[in-house]
Amino acid sequence: MRYAMAIDTKKCVGCSDCVVACQTENNVPHGYCRDWVVEVVDGSYPNLELEIRSERCNHCENSPCVRCCPTGASHYVDGGFVMVTPHKCIGCGACIESCPYDARYSHPEGYVDKCTFCNHRVQKGESTACVSVCPTHCMYFGDLDDPSSEVSKALRNRKYKTLAPEAGTNPQIFYLI
Amino acid sequence: MKEEIFISGRNIPYIDPSLNIWHWQIPVYLFLGGLAAGILFFAALYTILGKEKEMPTTVKWATFLVPVALVLGLVALFLDLNHKLYFWQLYTTIRIESPMSWGAWVLMFITPLSMVWCATYIKELIPKWDWKFEILNKFEKLAIANRKPMAWALLILSVILGIYTGILLSAFNARPLWNTSILGPLFLVSGLSTGVLLQLCGCRKAILKEKR
Ligand code: SF4
Ligand code: SF4
């Protein structure tokens, strides 16, 4: 099993519902977030291109955060989730420094926190909070090894990219372009 | 030109805190750790080469700064942890992949070892020194008899201490300018040269005399 997410940059309208859903679902402390939305404008007037992206931890297959962690607090669990165990984390910040996507933040209680791909929901057979609230249905979550999953289908039919491929992290979030 | 803005950032003031997760404590430690590694490396090297007599500053006196530097460095590192009470989790595991893990273990051994090293020379520095307890006298004798093996251990540990910080930073895929294999050797060399410089400062008088 290899969980992944595909996000349609052509359908996303930047409403930030995914951000609020995550904050609510995961009790993210006020002022912080595990996912966020960026708007990228490319080109020079009048030939401008606009891309809206909902971003979060990429659950990288080759993640520098797990590699750098001195205590094993950052680790992989079955299905390719990258997780942090709060009572093992010493808050050294090595993982925050090493993540090319700035996906982690220091929780006010001291440990490091980030997107879990809603592991607790996925184990119950549900989808992630962000995916389930998206009003434009622009995000797909599922198992890459299962050809009939929504992600596999989305990736089969569309062109896609990952963020910062040059960092060699092998991200598991794919942006449909 | 590419312009990137956070649309969802307005009510999330801490949306991009990552660049300031490390503070002044880290550079302070990097300097002190490198300095300690440099001093210990040459002290150990010249002990192994049997030059204690000719080079007392390098082998003996300069090393008294090492425990001070290491303890201050460790305090700085501790201050920079965000989840301080859990720091002992470092010592529940050894992670070969994580340079910070080697660093934690090396510091655990090299700090007390450098103190023992100084203890074997303290009577030469302060002739009136008294250990008060008989057991400490015995321990001192044992340590003095084992200076050579201690020097070998210090030599190896000091190289790891000097290089691991560079490898640690170079393992960060997020920072392209750090993400290079030259950083480890660079940190080691800069630590060694700082150590040598300090030892040279200690021998200034002798050097001046020689020149005349
Ligand atoms: S996006 Fe960052 S935090 Fe998430 S797995 Fe990759 S390196 Fe780690
Ligand atoms: S801050 Fe926590 S999770 Fe991150 S590297 Fe340090 S111990 Fe590991």
Side-chain angles (χ1 to χ4, degrees), chain A residues 65 68-74 84 88-96 104 112:
Chain A
C65 57
C68 289
C69 180
T71 65
S74 286
V84 184
K88 274 195 168 177
C89 172
I90 61 172
C92 65
C95 54
I96 295 184
R104 296 171 162 245
V112 163

Side-chain angles (χ1 to χ4, degrees), chain B residues 139-192:
Chain B
F139 183 70
E140 187 197 20
K141 276 204 195 90
L142 183 77
I144 291 178
N146 284 302
R147 270 193 197 131
K148 273 269 159 69
M150 251 185 353
W152 275 108
L154 281 177
L155 192 75
I156 295 163
L157 288 173
S158 67
V159 170
I160 305 179
L161 179 68
I163 209 168
Y164 96 88
T165 41
I167 298 182
L168 172 72
L169 298 192
S170 72
F172 294 172
N173 299 32
R175 322 263 164 231
L177 291 181
W178 298 357
N179 194 210
T180 143
S181 53
I182 200 78
L183 210 66
L186 181 73
F187 271 51
L188 179 62
V189 169
S190 89
L192 293 183

Side-chain angles (χ1 to χ4, degrees), chain B residues 110-126:
Chain B
I110 205 167
T111 312
L113 201 58
S114 72
M115 291 176 183
V116 173
W117 184 265
C118 294
T120 66
Y121 284 117
I122 198 153
K123 281 194 180 150
E124 290 184 37
L125 186 72
I126 311 170

Side-chain angles (χ1 to χ4, degrees), chain B residues 27-72:
Chain B
V28 165
Y29 165 72
L30 291 180
F31 178 76
L32 292 173
L35 177 70
I39 298 177
L40 284 179
F41 179 83
F42 289 104
L45 183 70
Y46 285 111
T47 305
I48 292 166
L49 297 177
K51 298 228 168 127
E52 296 100 325
K53 292 260 158 53
E54 291 103 308
M55 309 177 80
T57 309
T58 302
V59 172
K60 304 173 187 173
W61 317 137
T63 57
F64 280 86
L65 279 170
V66 172
V68 182
L70 285 178
V71 169
L72 287 178

